[in-house]
Amino acid sequence: MNIRETTRAARIDGKAFAAGVRARVADHVAELTSVQGITPGLAVVLVGEDPASEVYVRNKARQTREVGMTGFEHKLAAETTQAELLALLARLNADPAVHGILVQLPLPRHIDTEAVLAAIDPAKDVDGFHVSNVGLLGTGQKALVPCTPLGCLMMLRDRLGSLRGLNAVVVGRSNIVGRPMAQLLLRDDCTVTVAHRHSRDLEAICRGADILVVAVGRPRMIPGDWIKPGATVIDVGINRIEAEDGRTRLVGDVDFDDAARVAGAITPVPGGVGPMTIACLLSNTLTACCRAHGLPEPEGLTA
């Protein structure tokens, strides 16, 4: 009998999972504050007035407060010079109350993004974008890990338990998701293939995956018949498309309905990977705080 007609993938609920992560972070923060007298602090820097960034920053600020952390918001005018931004980062680097620093991207065109990211203290780089953290992750050492791949890893571990020996395919090689995701899977002893737009016979590569992580920004690029029966699919893509009624809606890089007939488990879009990003930002801030004070790291909330 055709497996596509008899099975339906388990839905990996990222919204519920993220709520659980935030609850665990809040418990750790409460213990740190009451026992150690330490409250983790997260500084978020926004330059300019990009509407999407403003909404995202508001959500970060609200969730920071909800888990008991101290939030430091710095909203700067679009005309802020690079020198002024770097001076602010230097002050935040030196502030012991600030354990995590995040500069909201994209930055205005007159500011060199790489220079700004390089100016953040790697120990406070809760986005995991500093070249020092990238290098530490790549060499298997302790690092602060980019939030989205960390969230994907948490969900995979929760779903599958040990990842040892599984064939993992990551479609996409960005510095934000694809590359760090591959490194994290290697650290968990997967056999990892990184595929991209120049990969030959992408269909066959995907079909060999026990774990398939897709992060390319192309709506419904991966159909169900590219997926190995029973595979776990993590769809990182968030694409806005026009629906038949003329409205727009969000879809992933994987054709969800088609893939759900084949996969063992799959993340939806929206409601899958997306909610995990801010949850892991808070987790990274907690981790950075514990490391700064020589305290044990929160179990299950780090890579």
Side-chain angles (χ1 to χ4, degrees):
M1 188 175 291
N2 191 333
I3 190 169
R4 293 166 65 88
E5 298 175 353
T6 61
T7 64
R8 185 74 179 177
R11 183 186 180 100
I12 301 174
D13 189 341
K15 187 175 181 180
F17 196 93
V21 169
R22 292 195 303 273
R24 284 186 285 160
V25 169
D27 288 343
H28 281 284
V29 170
E31 183 177 359
L32 271 179
T33 302
S34 63
V35 177
Q36 302 289 342
I38 300 166
T39 301
L42 173 63
V44 178
V45 180
L46 174 64
V47 185
E49 298 178 350
D50 178 78
S53 292
E54 288 183 333
V55 170
Y56 197 42
V57 166
R58 282 199 299 271
N59 288 337
K60 289 174 181 175
R62 174 178 56 80
Q63 293 188 32
T64 299
R65 293 190 299 269
E66 287 175 352
V67 299
M69 293 183 181
T70 303
F72 304 91
E73 293 184 56
H74 297 270
K75 296 183 178 180
L76 309 179
E79 298 76 24
T80 298
T81 67
Q82 181 168 314
E84 290 170 333
L85 178 54
L86 293 177
L88 170 61
L89 293 178
R91 293 194 297 272
L92 295 175
N93 284 340
D95 187 345
V98 175
H99 301 97
I101 301 171
L102 180 145
V103 177
Q104 185 64 39
L105 303 179
L107 290 168
R109 291 183 178 182
H110 67 278
I111 296 178
D112 182 348
T113 298
E114 295 302 321
V116 170
L117 296 179
I120 299 172
D121 181 348
K124 298 186 178 187
D125 168 39
V126 287
D127 252 342
F129 293 162
H130 193 286
V131 66
S132 293
N133 280 317
V134 173
L136 290 169
L137 175 61
T139 53
Q141 300 181 67
K142 185 181 293 186
L144 286 171
V145 176
C147 301
T148 300
L150 177 58
C152 295
L153 181 71
M154 287 182 180
M155 290 190 291
L156 285 168
R157 287 173 171 172
D158 179 74
R159 172 70 191 176
L160 300 171
S162 173
L163 308 185
R164 179 170 295 170
L166 296 179
N167 289 326
V169 171
V170 180
V171 185
R173 54 180 176 178
S174 73
N175 291 332
I176 296 173
V177 180
R179 293 173 193 263
M181 187 76 248
Q183 294 292 345
L184 289 172
L185 290 166
L186 280 172
R187 282 175 50 168
D188 268 31
D189 297 321
C190 290
T191 301
V192 181
T193 300
V194 179
H196 45 79
R197 62 192 179 96
H198 296 296
S199 297
R200 297 180 181 179
D201 201 354
L202 181 59
E203 177 180 348
I205 294 172
C206 291
R207 198 177 286 123
D210 302 307
I211 296 169
L212 180 64
V213 182
V214 188
V216 291
R218 293 181 58 185
R220 297 172 176 161
M221 173 184 169
I222 307 293
D225 58 9
W226 286 23
I227 295 170
K228 179 180 180 179
T232 300
V233 180
I234 305 293
D235 189 351
V236 185
I238 301 179
N239 310 283
R240 188 170 293 278
I241 64 168
E242 187 172 333
E244 293 180 359
D245 59 4
R247 299 180 181 181
T248 62
R249 66 189 186 97
L250 296 178
V251 299
D253 292 345
V254 176
D255 186 330
F256 180 86
D257 290 334
D258 198 29
R261 299 185 181 97
V262 184
I266 187 171
T267 57
V269 177
V273 174
M276 288 297 295
T277 300
I278 296 180
C280 289
L281 172 67
L282 300 174
S283 175
N284 274 350
T285 302
L286 173 61
T287 298
C289 177
C290 291
R291 291 176 181 175
H293 293 277
L295 298 171
E297 296 178 17
E299 186 175 350
L301 295 174
T302 64

